[in-house]
C-alpha cells in the first residue's frame, strides 16, 4: 500500500493568514488529490495536483485561494490563503496507485480558523 | 455528472449482528468502479471493498460483502458479525474508469455505531 504523511496534523490560525499543508508519499504516484472535509460532512475534491504543471481545480475552488504545488511524484503542497472561519475543515491528501488499483488517503490536517 | 446517495445518515447494530448500509448512484457511464470507505473516529480513511461494474459477481472481503445491482444503480454494503471496531463513518464512492482522472465522488456518509 501507499503510505501518506501530512504536515501539520492540525493547526489553529488567525483569519487573514495562510497555511501550507504538506503531503509526502512513500512511493512515486501518478495521481495526487486534495480533498476538503468539513465537520461531520463528506469529502469534496478541491483539485488534482499535476506533476510539473498547474493543478486542475474543481468547480468552486480557485488557484488564488488554494494554490497547489507538485514538484515531483512523491510530494505536494496545498496552501489555504487569506483564511476565514469558513475554511475550518479537515484537508486530506490522497493518491491513486495503479499498482493496487486503489486510492489511499493521508491522515488529514485539521484546520481551525479563528 | 455523477451523484452518490446514502439515505441513512446514522445506523446502529448490536455486536455480532448483521447490518446493511445502502447506496445508490446516478451515472450515464457503463464502466466504472464503486467503493466503500471506512473512516473511524479521528482516524484515517481506509478502503473496505471495491466493485468493478463489469463484474457480475458481488465483491466480498471477509465479513464485508456488497450487493451490486447495476440496473438499479444500487450498491449496498453488508457487514456480518459486527464488531465494536466497525464503528465508523462509511462512505460510498463512485469513480469513472474511462479516462485517467481517477476522481472519486462520495456520498454523504452513514455513521454506523456498533453497540456491545
Amino acid at each position: 500500500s501507499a503510505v501518506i504523511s501530512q504536515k501539520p496534523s492540525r493547526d489553529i490560525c488567525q483569519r487573514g493568514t495562510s497555511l501550507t499543508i504538506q503531503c509526502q508519499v512513500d512511493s512515486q504516484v501518478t495521481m495526487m488529490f486534495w480533498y476538503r472535509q468539513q465537520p461531520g460532512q463528506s469529502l469534496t475534491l478541491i483539485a488534482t495536483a499535476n506533476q510539473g504543471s498547474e493543478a486542475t481545480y474543481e468547480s468552486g475552488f480557485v488557484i488564488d485561494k488554494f494554490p497547489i504545488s507538485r514538484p515531483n511524484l512523491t510530494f505536494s503542497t496545498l496552501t489555504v490563503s487569506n483564511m476565514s472561519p469558513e475554511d475550518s475543515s479537515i484537508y486530506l491528501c490522497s493518491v491513486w496507485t495503479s499498482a493496487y488499483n486503489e486510492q489511499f488517503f493521508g491522515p488529514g490536517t485539521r484546520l481551525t480558523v479563528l | 455528472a455523477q451523484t452518490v446517495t446514502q439515505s441513512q445518515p446514522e445506523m446502529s447494530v448490536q455486536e455480532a449482528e448483521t447490518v446493511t448500509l445502502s447506496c445508490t448512484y446516478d451515472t450515464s457511464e457503463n464502466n466504472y468502479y464503486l467503493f466503500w470507505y471506512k473512516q473511524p473516529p479521528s482516524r484515517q480513511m481506509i478502503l473496505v471493498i471495491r466493485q468493478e461494474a463489469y463484474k457480475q459477481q458481488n465483491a466480498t472481503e471477509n465479513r464485508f460483502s456488497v450487493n451490486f445491482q447495476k440496473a438499479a444503480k444500487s450498491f449496498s454494503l453488508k457487514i456480518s458479525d459486527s464488531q465494536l471496531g466497525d464503528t465508523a463513518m462509511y462512505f460510498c464512492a463512485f469513480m469513472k474508469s474511462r479516462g485517467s482522472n481517477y476522481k472519486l465522488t462520495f456520498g454523504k456518509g452513514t455513521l454506523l455505531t456498533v453497540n456491545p
Side-chain angles (χ1 to χ4, degrees):
Chain A
S1 65
V3 178
I4 305 172
S5 59
Q6 287 185 232
K7 291 181 182 179
S9 59
R10 59 177 63 224
D11 207 341
I12 300 173
C13 301
Q14 296 298 318
R15 151 198 318 260
T17 62
S18 297
L19 175 72
T20 295
I21 303 167
Q22 298 180 4
C23 174
Q24 180 74 54
V25 191
D26 68 342
S27 58
Q28 293 186 343
V29 293
T30 306
M31 308 297 292
M32 293 183 76
F33 306 92
W34 287 98
Y35 287 86
R36 182 173 73 182
Q37 185 178 24
Q38 294 180 308
Q41 302 297 313
S42 186
L43 283 75
T44 300
L45 181 64
I46 297 172
T48 303
N50 301 309
Q51 193 264 329
S53 64
E54 196 170 279
T56 305
Y57 290 84
E58 298 299 305
S59 175
F61 297 96
V62 296
I63 187 171
D64 289 346
K65 176 67 176 177
F66 297 101
I68 289 170
S69 78
R70 188 169 174 202
N72 56 51
L73 293 177
T74 63
F75 185 79
S76 177
T77 66
L78 168 74
T79 299
V80 186
S81 303
N82 188 25
M83 289 184 284
S84 67
E86 292 72 36
D87 295 320
S88 297
S89 284
I90 298 173
Y91 292 86
L92 296 112
C93 172
S94 77
V95 303
W96 174 267
T97 64
S98 299
Y100 296 97
N101 228 18
E102 181 175 335
Q103 188 158 130
F104 294 92
F105 287 82
T109 296
R110 184 180 296 271
L111 170 63
T112 302
V113 184
L114 303 177
Chain B
Q2 284 67 229
T3 59
V4 178
T5 302
Q6 293 179 249
S7 58
Q8 305 150 315
E10 294 187 34
M11 293 191 72
S12 63
V13 63
Q14 291 299 120
E15 197 174 5
E17 293 188 348
T18 295
V19 63
T20 298
L21 309 183
S22 65
C23 173
T24 59
Y25 58 94
D26 187 25
T27 184
S28 58
E29 301 286 329
N30 191 47
N31 296 316
Y32 48 87
Y33 293 98
L34 294 163
F35 304 87
W36 279 98
Y37 279 90
K38 170 184 177 181
Q39 189 177 40
S42 301
R43 291 184 61 188
Q44 202 155 335
M45 180 95 75
I46 58 172
L47 178 67
V48 174
I49 199 165
R50 167 181 53 231
Q51 175 81 41
E52 289 90 343
Y54 69 88
K55 291 186 178 179
Q56 293 186 337
Q57 187 172 7
N58 289 325
T60 299
E61 288 287 343
N62 301 313
R63 297 183 295 107
F64 299 88
S65 62
V66 299
N67 182 5
F68 173 51
Q69 302 290 328
K70 190 173 184 179
K73 295 181 181 175
S74 171
F75 182 61
S76 61
L77 174 69
K78 185 172 82 170
I79 305 174
S80 304
D81 185 26
S82 296
Q83 301 176 359
L84 296 178
D86 295 333
T87 292
M89 183 72 86
Y90 287 82
F91 293 100
C92 179
F94 172 99
M95 186 183 77
K96 291 192 293 186
S97 59
R98 186 176 54 182
S100 60
N101 58 9
Y102 299 111
K103 295 189 290 187
L104 287 171
T105 300
F106 286 90
K108 291 186 180 298
T110 296
L111 178 61
L112 175 68
T113 302
V114 180
N115 299 308

